[in-house]
Amino acid sequence: MNFKFSDEELRSINELKNKVDDKRALVLPALWMVQRKNGFIDDLDVKYLEETLDIRAIFFKEAISFFAMLNDKPKGKFELKFCRTISCKLRGSDELIKLCESLLGIKLGETTKDGLFSLEETECLGYCEKAPCMLCNLEQIDTLDEDKVANLIENLRTKECK
């Protein structure tokens, strides 16, 4: 199912449009609306946004490719994104990624067959003093160790089975 703005979303976009000098300021809010509803933003969604908002598709595509939190393809219900910067790597993030790969049966950049988990790396989360850290969807989790990661995965699986 392709994205279409609801009446309320269109009102919200138009209110924002009246407050800005450049309509490209609508790119991120519009992309967030699509992602919240669909979980990702595909080429047909970008075409719809281009036609509806009269903003060239390239601006949407650039934002999708730049911001790690925007997805251009379906992801798991739980996106596990490990920080890939030096602070986290020095404190064991690579080993924790390998643990996740083993527990989930997938490699970095993949999604489990049941669509429950995606495993990725992301740019710095700004929590170097509590490295290693990760995002689970948009929740930041710090001071990771093997037990904490294994418990997180088990708790998410259990939560899904209820």
Side-chain angles (χ1 to χ4, degrees):
M1 185 175 86
N2 292 324
F3 177 84
K4 299 284 185 240
F5 285 119
S6 68
D7 291 341
E8 183 179 328
E9 289 166 333
L10 268 177
R11 267 192 303 280
S12 176
I13 285 288
N14 284 325
E15 285 174 16
L16 181 58
K17 189 177 186 179
N18 292 329
K19 294 178 183 177
V20 298
D21 294 335
D22 187 335
K23 63 186 172 189
R24 289 177 296 180
L26 306 175
V27 168
L28 281 176
L31 289 172
W32 273 117
M33 287 178 185
V34 176
Q35 182 144 314
R36 270 192 223 103
K37 196 176 279 187
N38 291 358
F40 67 102
I41 307 145
D42 68 16
D43 288 340
L44 290 174
D45 297 324
V46 169
K47 184 171 175 46
Y48 170 79
L49 292 173
E50 177 182 46
E51 292 169 356
T52 304
L53 301 177
D54 192 32
I55 300 171
R56 293 181 45 220
I58 189 67
F59 294 112
F60 296 104
K61 297 296 256 177
E62 285 174 338
I64 294 166
S65 68
F66 181 78
F67 292 103
M69 70 288 270
L70 296 173
N71 303 318
D72 61 357
K73 61 184 180 201
K75 300 288 181 169
K77 181 171 185 177
F78 302 108
E79 291 182 66
L80 306 179
K81 293 183 179 184
F82 284 84
C83 178
R84 67 170 151 212
T85 59
I86 191 71
S87 297
C88 285
K89 294 220 179 262
L90 288 173
R91 291 192 171 175
S93 65
D94 286 340
E95 291 77 12
L96 296 174
I97 291 169
K98 285 182 186 5
L99 173 66
C100 284
E101 289 176 334
S102 173
L103 292 172
L104 299 172
I106 59 174
K107 296 287 184 197
L108 201 60
E110 295 179 344
T111 299
T112 57
K113 289 180 184 173
D114 62 6
L116 204 54
F117 293 96
S118 290
L119 184 60
E120 301 177 20
E121 285 185 308
T122 189
E123 295 304 324
C124 183
L125 298 173
Y127 233 24
C128 297
E129 73 277 8
K130 294 189 178 190
C133 58
M134 66 179 286
L135 292 175
C136 177
N137 293 346
L138 295 177
E139 179 184 345
Q140 191 159 317
I141 304 170
D142 59 56
T143 55
L144 294 170
D145 60 28
E146 288 185 0
D147 288 338
K148 199 169 185 178
V149 170
N151 288 335
L152 172 69
I153 290 171
E154 184 58 33
N155 290 339
L156 293 173
R157 277 190 175 133
T158 302
K159 180 180 170 181
E160 259 323 282
C161 292
K162 289 182 180 180

